[in-house]
């Protein structure tokens, strides 16, 4: 399949998935319009790289749907002054988009194979650093961060990540609430973060955030 076909698929994604929803930030639209998503999925899945659902990337994982990622980044309101911690680097697609919008991004991935792929895919970007580590632990060594982006559905936002957020920083992600994935944004004030849901949206569960199961008798 030629580059022209992928260009058309990318344009169709922007028109049918982003512009028809609340993805209105022209910078987010521009970034997602030129980052070649097909380069971040297996060769056998390139024909569905721009579909409105997750794409299997191996290791029991899927690349999050473009709409979910677009809505998170739209709400994050990233600028070149922002230092971003991305949780769930996967193969590097979201990190590549964020690199266009923010000053720098540290992308954490707990799968060794996916982290290696992300490093290869992002090798040409000098404002992205990929770190292999547990999602729930983030990467405190380069914090605090003005923005934390969790690119996937989690059961709760962990305290360890909240501590890595700078004062007045913001955190965006998707929380599973009563069986529904809800996109949320949190703002840090003092030592606490207040969260607000802003949309229901499908997405891909991100491993490493499962709540501890309570015992039943």
């Amino acid at each position: 399949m030629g580059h022209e076909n992928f260009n058309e698929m990318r344009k169709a994604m922007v028109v049918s998935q982003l512009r028809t929803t609340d993805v209105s930030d022209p910078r987010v639209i521009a970034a997602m319009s030129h980052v070649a998503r097909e380069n971040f999925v297996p060769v056998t899945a390139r024909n569905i790289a721009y579909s409105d659902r997750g794409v299997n990337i191996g290791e029991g994982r899927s690349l999050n749907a473009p709409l979910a990622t677009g809505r998170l980044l739209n709400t994050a309101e990233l600028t070149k002054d922002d230092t971003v911690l991305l949780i769930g680097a996967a193969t590097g697609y979201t990190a590549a988009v964020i690199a266009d919008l923010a000053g720098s991004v540290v992308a954490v991935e707990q799968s060794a194979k996916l982290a290696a792929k992300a490093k290869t895919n992002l090798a040409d970007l000098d404002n992205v650093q990929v770190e292999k580590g547990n999602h729930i632990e983030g990467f405190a060594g380069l914090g605090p961060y003005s923005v934390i982006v969790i690119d996937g559905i989690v059961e709760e936002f962990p305290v360890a990540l909240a501590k890595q957020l700078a004062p007045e920083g913001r955190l965006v992600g998707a929380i599973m609430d009563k069986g529904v994935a809800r996109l949320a944004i949190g703002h840090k004030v003092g030592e606490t973060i207040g969260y607000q849901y802003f949309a229901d949206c499908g997405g891909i569960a991100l491993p490493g955030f499962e709540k501890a199961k309570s015992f039943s008798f």
Side-chain angles (χ1 to χ4, degrees), residues 143-168:
Y145 305 91
S146 60
V147 181
I148 296 177
V149 177
I150 302 177
D151 194 25
I153 301 171
V154 302
E155 294 189 28
E156 60 185 356
F157 291 156
V159 174
L161 290 183
K163 289 182 177 179
Q164 295 174 38
L165 196 61
E168 301 184 4

Side-chain angles (χ1 to χ4, degrees), residues 54-155:
V55 180
N56 190 314
I57 53 175
E59 295 292 288
R61 297 276 295 284
S62 294
L63 202 63
N64 213 5
L67 174 57
T69 299
R71 295 205 68 174
L72 286 178
L73 299 184
N74 188 84
T75 301
E77 297 183 338
L78 300 174
T79 73
K80 287 297 183 180
D81 291 328
D82 283 316
T83 56
V84 180
L85 174 63
L86 170 66
I87 304 298
T91 55
Y93 172 73
T94 300
V97 177
I98 293 175
D100 247 21
L101 304 169
S104 64
V105 52
V106 176
V108 175
E109 175 52 53
Q110 66 182 33
S111 163
K113 289 185 178 179
L114 292 181
K117 288 181 180 179
K119 287 182 179 180
T120 298
N121 290 338
L122 300 167
D124 293 337
L125 299 178
D126 59 9
N127 64 337
V128 180
Q129 180 171 326
V130 178
E131 294 291 339
K132 196 279 179 188
N134 293 331
H135 292 152
I136 197 170
E137 296 176 1
F139 194 75
L142 293 176
Y145 305 91
S146 60
V147 181
I148 296 177
V149 177
I150 302 177
D151 194 25
I153 301 171
V154 302
E155 294 189 28

Side-chain angles (χ1 to χ4, degrees), residues 7 10 20 26 33 40 81 95 110 141 152 158 165 167 173 177 182:
N7 288 340
R10 202 173 304 121
T20 57
S33 293
F40 296 87
D81 291 328
Q110 66 182 33
L165 196 61
D177 178 47
R182 304 186 190 281

Side-chain angles (χ1 to χ4, degrees), residues 24-66:
S24 56
D25 187 333
R27 296 178 64 243
V28 173
I29 292 174
M32 295 184 71
S33 293
H34 80 257
V35 174
R37 187 174 166 92
E38 68 272 12
N39 293 337
F40 296 87
V41 302
V43 174
T44 54
R46 286 187 168 186
N47 62 320
I48 58 169
Y50 295 95
S51 63
D52 59 353
R53 63 182 188 276
V55 180
N56 190 314
I57 53 175
E59 295 292 288
R61 297 276 295 284
S62 294
L63 202 63
N64 213 5

